[in-house]
Amino acid sequence: MSQLYIWVVLAVMYLPMLVVVAYSFNSSRYSNWEGFSLQWYEELFNNSAIVDTLNNSLMLAFFSCALAILLGTMGAVGMAKSRFRTQGLLENVSLIPMMLPEIILGMAYLALFSLCRVPFSMITLIIAHTTFCIPYVFVSVQSRLVGLDPAYVEAARDLGASQTRAFYDITLPLIAPAVLNGALLAFAMSMDDVVISFFVAGTNSQTLPVQVYSMLKSGVTPEINALCTLMLVAVFLAIGLFGLGRALFKRASRG
Amino acid sequence: MEKKRHISLSVWPLYIWTVLFVALPLVYVVVISFLQRGDTWGVTDQVTIDNYVKMVDPMYGSIFLETLAMAVLTTALTFLFGYPFAYYVCKLPARLRGVMILLLMAPFWINSLCRLNGWMILLKSNGVINSLLLNLGIIDEPLKLLYNFGAVVVGMVYALAPFMILSCYNSIEKMDWSVVEAARDLGASAWKAFVTVTLPLTMPGVVAGCVLVFVPSMGLFFISDLMGGAKTVLIGNLIRTELTAARNWPFGAALSMVMLLATVGIIWVYKRVSGSKSLGDLM
Amino acid sequence: MENQALLRLDNIHKSFGQTEVLKGISLDVQAGEFVTLLGPSGCGKTTTLRIIAGLETATSGRVLVEGKDVSALPPEKRPVNTVFQNYALFPHMNVFKNVAYALTIRRVKKDEIRQRVQRMLELVQLSGFDRRMPSQLSGGQRQRVAIARALVLEPKILLLDEPLGALDLQLRRQMQVELKNLQERLGITFIYITHDQEEALNMSTRIAVMNEGHFEQVGTPEDIYERPVTRFAASFIGQANILQGVVEEKAEGRSRVQLEQGGTIFVNEALEPGTKIAVSVRAERIDYAKEAGYGFQVPGVIERHSYIGGVLRTTIKLSGGQELLITGANPSSHYPDGCAIQVFWDPDTAAVVERS
């Protein structure tokens, strides 16, 4: 009974995606099935708008994540070592972007960048995305640090490591999984963001989600189905590879 | 701890970034919500409360109500569907649990618009469901499934349910089941034990899930735009229109303030219920 | 000073905020000693150890190693190493890397590192475990790795913070013997923390009994057990009976004492008449019979007997109401419950733990 419920929910979750996969191979532009075809994939690759915006989005997610990893990890590590009056305030304010409806942040950037006469471009996008990516890294690293036994670092110091050395030898490797976790989440968020990008992207720096949004709004677009199918394949491939890698690692470390 | 007050060097980049790109823009939004709009775009330096007065108009009132109704409904539905899912998954053996959560989260990595596209294909007047029903002779003419309030709720629930499920799951998984056994041992029925023990103990997760669903649901204008067509205007759509088409930033900012207030309100409730000090605990 | 101490703690105070955790600790430790800090949890023993290691800074006072003040040195510059309470083995490094860590930091040549780590692992009987991760080891094995890791630099002083606390009783006893042998073989000074009195008595050359941030008594296990100087030291270790009384008469090297509970005893110490004292007597040193010995006059009634293992435990109620606990291997004569008897002991085996 309970198993059945789980499967029903998962089926409902995957139903729309299965429909999309099926329709990506439909030779008709409309909903009735007229036979198998790969023409939408061909059109997808020939659609320069999609290819360009996909490039933009990947670049944007990469740079935002990198910056967020840097700022978020350094911040979380530093906060754990610091005691200052505005600490609680800083922590809560830096987490706001995760909590606020995105549209408010989007409008804030739109207004501020216009005021400062900063042209909307990849730079403004990276600033905006980094801002909402930081909390995912920060929170993930922070909770790992809280659970980290201080005795590890103390043991390293006791054995002759300087403070800096102990950080690189002990703390960093031990929080690395948390950094990765936060970064993966941040990457997904950046790749998926419509609302903020909608406000701060320049004409030459449109992101994929915004592009898909305007295409979906304007009408029937079977290329999107092909795109979605490819993304689905990529995600499951990545999960598969990840699982395989972990299994191999486990076997290696057991032997 | 008797540590002296000091700031580690590595905090500074985050500190500066937060002040420049979080605090400053938000303060600026508050400021322009009290300014008069400029002739073509932007703002003048004239201070006014007109933007707030304007909201009293019943037309906006109904938009607020509809947004609130939609957010509450979405939150309630994600809970109703999500909690049992999380609960049943927790009852599975550990190995299966991971697989189920992975299966649940995998679609999350695919662009939400692509997933939304699937629902549009399903619900369109010439879409899968209608074609199926027509061909089976159950209906004579296509049902209007897309471009209404219900479709928006479907889209929202679909997009935000994983947050609720994950949040509940984290809370339920941590629970000590022997407490439930103790309740059963003391004479509680399975249902009674669930209501009096399991649910209260997992409440922090539920409330965190509610925050994670309720807050974004107010702002995801593209879902109401695509699934609701022109008919369903939510506060998010209104803000977008004011910012882009109408170029009335001050009014957009004032509307954002309303949304901000709702956000602060629900986070306050969350903190009261969970006793958590940091926003970070939501994750 | 001709006999310079290897380690000297000089009047160390430590406060966390308002609470004073250490209230002036002084201790000299000679090379090759096995000194145990023994006390209940929260008495400040771990803080003392952390101050020696440099992981905590004393509020005032000095730590000297071989006469040099190391108080200002960070932990990595001190010639001491620590075995942590829960071992603190680096979870992301295998056994070899854990043990080699201190050598890696000092840029010792690879060949030499391999040799020295192998030697250490042999020493703790873990040869062949190099590639195991800490998570793949049993509690006892982790313990050995932690010891090997701390010994690899051949420190002058090894600090051990309840190293056997997480092990079960049998393993604990076995490790006690191993640790003691190791210490004697290497000649390294051990500063050892425990709250287990048996462990302390069993292993130490000297014991420092700690309570509420100060040393109650520092001495050999025999001193501590047979001649406790404070009421706390007497009652924390072993089964002690403490009796209060007033000195009535002083003689050559001994005094007669009137007990509060009724009766008179003798103590082997010349005290001024009128002094209020407390006397501690070990449970196994007390005897009882129809006729008193050593000139004692302490009447009591046998409350009950109980067997605990091979030992008979007898509770005797004194006329004043206080109960004395007596343990004996095999009582020569058996008195039934409720029998009136006289209690006495060899005054040499009792200690005066309080006088005012």
Side-chain angles (χ1 to χ4, degrees):
Chain A
M1 176 60 206
S2 60
Q3 294 250 5
L4 184 72
Y5 182 79
I6 293 174
W7 289 115
V8 168
V9 169
L10 284 176
V12 173
M13 279 280 166
Y14 279 90
L15 178 67
M17 273 173 282
L18 294 178
V19 169
V20 167
V21 172
Y23 273 69
S24 74
F25 297 112
N26 187 0
S27 60
S28 161
R29 176 168 280 274
Y30 302 100
S31 38
N32 35 335
W33 182 265
E34 281 177 11
F36 183 87
S37 144
L38 287 175
Q39 61 166 320
W40 306 121
Y41 288 87
E42 209 183 313
E43 276 189 34
L44 175 71
F45 291 120
N46 289 331
N47 186 331
S48 65
I50 288 186
V51 174
D52 288 352
T53 54
L54 175 64
N55 275 335
N56 282 344
S57 272
L58 285 172
M59 194 163 84
L60 171 61
F62 176 79
F63 281 112
S64 313
C65 266
L67 268 173
I69 287 175
L70 202 67
L71 290 160
T73 308
M74 280 172 70
V77 169
M79 292 276 253
K81 283 193 269 184
S82 310
R83 293 280 171 283
F84 51 97
R85 199 164 313 208
T86 51
Q87 191 164 10
L89 186 69
L90 171 62
E91 190 180 320
N92 277 326
V93 173
S94 68
L95 294 183
I96 282 180
M98 190 170 72
M99 283 324 307
L100 219 53
E102 290 160 313
I103 196 166
I104 298 183
L105 212 61
M107 105 140 279
Y109 283 128
L110 175 71
L112 191 74
F113 288 143
S114 305
L115 174 83
C116 304
R117 308 216 174 272
V118 179
F120 293 107
S121 63
M122 194 44 129
I123 307 287
T124 51
L125 270 174
I126 289 177
I127 290 177
H129 277 230
T130 302
T131 307
F132 73 77
C133 283
I134 287 174
Y136 295 99
V137 179
F138 183 88
V139 167
S140 175
V141 173
Q142 193 184 41
S143 65
R144 178 78 187 106
L145 281 172
V146 167
L148 200 65
D149 188 347
Y152 293 135
V153 170
E154 285 175 352
R157 296 292 303 276
D158 186 68
L159 293 167
S162 65
Q163 213 172 340
T164 324
R165 182 78 197 254
F167 176 78
Y168 284 110
D169 284 353
I170 312 298
T171 313
L172 206 55
L174 291 180
I175 61 172
V179 175
L180 188 71
N181 245 341
L184 282 176
L185 211 60
F187 192 89
M189 289 297 175
S190 171
M191 284 297 284
D192 200 31
D193 174 72
V194 181
V195 178
I196 291 178
S197 308
F198 181 84
F199 290 113
V200 295
T203 39
N204 291 325
S205 58
Q206 215 49 265
T207 67
L208 182 68
V210 178
Q211 176 66 28
V212 171
Y213 171 55
S214 56
M215 283 172 77
L216 281 179
K217 261 194 88 162
S218 59
V220 189
T221 45
E223 302 102 293
I224 304 280
N225 296 342
L227 178 70
C228 188
T229 306
L230 289 180
M231 281 182 160
L232 200 66
V233 171
V235 167
F236 276 97
L237 215 61
I239 291 175
L241 281 176
F242 185 72
L244 193 70
R246 220 168 51 165
L248 285 178
F249 177 77
K250 263 193 187 157
R251 189 174 302 167
S253 63
R254 204 179 299 136
Chain B
M1 294 302 272
E2 34 85 67
K3 271 185 189 162
K4 280 170 242 122
R5 289 185 179 279
H6 67 103
I7 301 189
S8 164
L9 265 180
S10 64
V11 177
W12 283 114
L14 177 71
Y15 209 140
I16 294 166
W17 188 280
T18 302
V19 169
L20 277 184
F21 299 121
V22 184
L24 194 66
L26 290 177
V27 169
Y28 186 55
V29 171
V30 178
V31 170
I32 58 175
S33 77
F34 288 103
L35 295 178
Q36 213 152 52
R37 66 177 294 191
D39 283 339
T40 48
W41 63 274
V43 290
T44 63
D45 52 7
Q46 215 97 62
V47 177
T48 171
I49 55 159
D50 284 355
N51 304 307
Y52 289 93
V53 175
K54 194 174 166 188
M55 274 187 249
V56 183
D57 191 305
M59 182 182 89
Y60 296 120
S62 70
I63 290 177
F64 291 158
L65 274 181
E66 197 165 354
T67 306
L68 192 68
M70 203 274 317
V72 169
L73 197 60
T74 303
T75 310
L77 286 174
T78 51
F79 170 70
L80 280 178
F81 290 118
Y83 192 94
F85 182 85
Y87 184 87
Y88 289 141
V89 169
C90 283
K91 292 279 193 185
L92 293 175
R95 269 179 61 97
L96 269 175
R97 246 182 273 165
V99 175
M100 289 298 170
I101 290 299
L102 193 67
L103 275 176
L104 177 81
M105 293 310 289
F108 189 66
W109 291 82
I110 299 154
N111 198 297
S112 52
L113 283 163
C114 288
R115 288 180 284 142
L116 220 53
N117 176 32
W119 278 109
M120 292 170 74
I121 296 177
L122 276 168
L123 298 177
K124 267 191 289 201
S125 55
N126 58 350
V128 177
I129 292 178
N130 271 319
S131 312
L132 205 67
L133 293 177
L134 281 171
N135 288 340
L136 290 174
I138 297 173
I139 52 173
D140 296 328
E141 54 187 88
L143 296 172
K144 197 141 178 45
L145 298 172
L146 199 61
Y147 304 128
N148 55 34
F149 188 79
V152 179
V153 172
V154 168
M156 291 278 184
V157 170
Y158 185 65
L160 298 170
F163 289 105
M164 176 67 88
I165 294 176
L166 213 59
S167 191
C168 290
Y169 174 79
N170 284 337
S171 203
I172 299 170
E173 206 207 5
K174 276 195 217 106
M175 215 186 60
D176 176 6
W177 290 101
S178 62
V179 192
V180 179
E181 282 163 10
R184 296 298 302 273
D185 183 59
L186 294 169
S189 64
W191 172 248
K192 193 90 180 158
F194 173 77
V195 173
T196 54
V197 177
T198 314
L199 198 58
L201 281 177
T202 53
M203 216 49 191
V206 173
V207 182
C210 288
V211 174
L212 292 174
V213 171
F214 187 92
V215 171
S217 72
M218 293 187 294
L220 293 176
F221 64 77
F222 61 90
I223 292 181
S224 48
D225 207 25
L226 292 176
M227 304 288 282
K231 254 193 251 159
T232 313
V233 177
L234 301 180
I235 185 166
N237 305 66
L238 191 59
I239 294 176
R240 191 209 48 190
T241 314
E242 292 298 331
L243 288 181
T244 53
R247 305 221 161 198
N248 190 349
W249 295 4
F251 188 53
L255 289 169
S256 300
M257 286 301 111
V258 175
M259 202 187 264
L260 189 70
L261 232 58
T263 306
V264 170
I266 186 151
I267 289 177
W268 183 78
V269 172
Y270 162 74
K271 287 193 171 185
R272 282 295 297 273
V273 173
S274 69
S276 150
K277 277 210 188 89
S278 168
L279 287 177
D281 297 342
L282 271 172
M283 289 297 292
Chain C
M1 229 191 309
E2 52 167 336
N3 192 5
Q4 188 186 53
L6 174 63
L7 171 73
R8 162 168 289 176
L9 304 183
D10 183 11
N11 197 24
I12 286 175
H13 287 261
K14 175 69 180 174
S15 302
F16 291 108
Q18 295 295 310
T19 36
E20 195 175 20
V21 183
L22 295 180
K23 301 165 181 163
I25 294 241
S26 296
L27 181 71
D28 274 10
V29 179
Q30 306 302 329
E33 272 197 291
F34 191 126
V35 175
T36 299
L37 305 183
L38 175 67
S41 50
C43 71
K45 48 193 194 308
T46 296
T47 308
T48 309
L49 203 73
R50 289 171 62 84
I51 286 174
I52 301 173
L55 298 168
E56 210 85 66
T57 325
T59 312
S60 70
R62 297 181 306 159
V63 179
L64 295 100
V65 177
E66 294 182 309
K68 274 183 300 233
D69 189 348
V70 298
S71 311
L73 292 182
E76 64 266 28
K77 300 255 164 65
R78 298 197 186 191
V80 298
N81 287 116
T82 309
V83 175
F84 285 79
Q85 190 159 16
N86 294 313
Y87 319 137
L89 297 181
F90 307 132
H92 57 303
M93 298 182 190
N94 61 23
V95 169
F96 182 90
K97 284 188 177 151
N98 261 286
V99 178
Y101 186 75
L103 300 172
T104 320
I105 293 219
R106 282 167 178 76
R107 298 172 199 279
V108 176
K109 283 205 199 81
K110 280 225 165 104
D111 283 349
E112 197 190 332
I113 291 185
R114 199 169 306 128
Q115 276 175 19
R116 285 172 73 174
V117 171
Q118 286 316 339
R119 205 162 60 224
M120 278 304 137
L121 289 179
E122 265 165 44
L123 192 68
V124 296
Q125 298 161 28
L126 277 181
S127 304
F129 282 72
D130 323 35
R131 304 277 158 231
R132 295 276 189 98
M133 298 304 278
S135 57
Q136 297 167 314
L137 299 176
S138 71
Q141 290 168 338
R142 281 180 211 180
Q143 164 70 72
R144 288 161 204 257
V145 177
I147 291 168
R149 185 177 71 174
L151 283 175
V152 78
L153 288 176
E154 291 158 16
K156 298 200 172 76
I157 303 167
L158 187 68
L159 310 174
L160 303 99
D161 189 357
E162 301 221 13
L164 308 182
L167 306 180
D168 60 47
L169 189 63
Q170 209 165 354
L171 196 55
R172 218 178 150 109
R173 292 228 165 104
Q174 183 196 333
M175 284 302 294
Q176 282 176 14
V177 178
E178 277 184 35
L179 265 179
K180 183 68 187 161
N181 287 342
L182 196 68
Q183 189 257 341
E184 278 167 1
R185 198 141 41 105
L186 298 172
I188 291 177
T189 303
F190 276 30
I191 312 281
Y192 190 96
I193 283 189
T194 185
H195 62 254
D196 179 339
Q197 41 151 322
E198 185 197 306
E199 207 168 286
L201 294 170
N202 194 352
M203 302 170 80
S204 324
T205 49
R206 275 197 302 156
I207 296 174
V209 181
M210 260 188 111
N211 183 34
E212 294 183 340
H214 65 273
F215 288 150
E216 294 272 341
Q217 184 174 5
V218 182
T220 63
E222 201 193 334
D223 274 340
I224 301 277
Y225 192 80
E226 301 290 350
R227 290 172 289 278
V229 296
T230 68
R231 185 188 275 261
F232 179 86
S235 53
F236 190 73
I237 297 160
Q239 247 334 318
N241 293 287
I242 295 182
L243 293 150
Q244 315 231 38
V246 181
V247 177
E248 278 198 318
E249 196 184 336
K250 179 168 78 164
E252 186 73 16
R254 54 187 256 151
S255 319
R256 195 179 72 210
V257 178
Q258 172 71 42
L259 293 180
E260 269 178 18
Q261 295 287 320
T264 50
I265 60 167
F266 288 92
V267 296
N268 280 355
E269 200 173 327
L271 296 158
E272 287 306 314
T275 317
K276 279 187 161 179
I277 63 165
V279 178
S280 151
V281 204
R282 296 286 166 202
E284 69 278 13
R285 306 285 190 220
I286 303 181
D287 207 350
Y288 58 91
K290 285 285 179 195
E291 297 292 318
Y294 303 102
F296 282 32
Q297 264 302 319
V298 187
V301 174
I302 295 187
E303 274 281 293
R304 59 184 168 271
H305 297 286
S306 57
Y307 281 99
I308 40 163
V311 177
L312 179 70
R313 179 189 274 167
T314 311
T315 312
I316 291 175
K317 197 173 210 164
L318 300 182
S319 48
Q322 186 181 349
E323 288 186 347
L324 290 187
L325 201 64
I326 298 165
T327 52
N330 201 4
S332 46
S333 48
H334 185 77
Y335 299 96
D337 291 2
C339 185
I341 39 81
Q342 288 284 335
V343 178
F344 56 92
W345 55 84
D346 179 350
D348 270 342
T349 62
V352 178
V353 294
E354 226 171 69
R355 62 208 84 197
S356 61

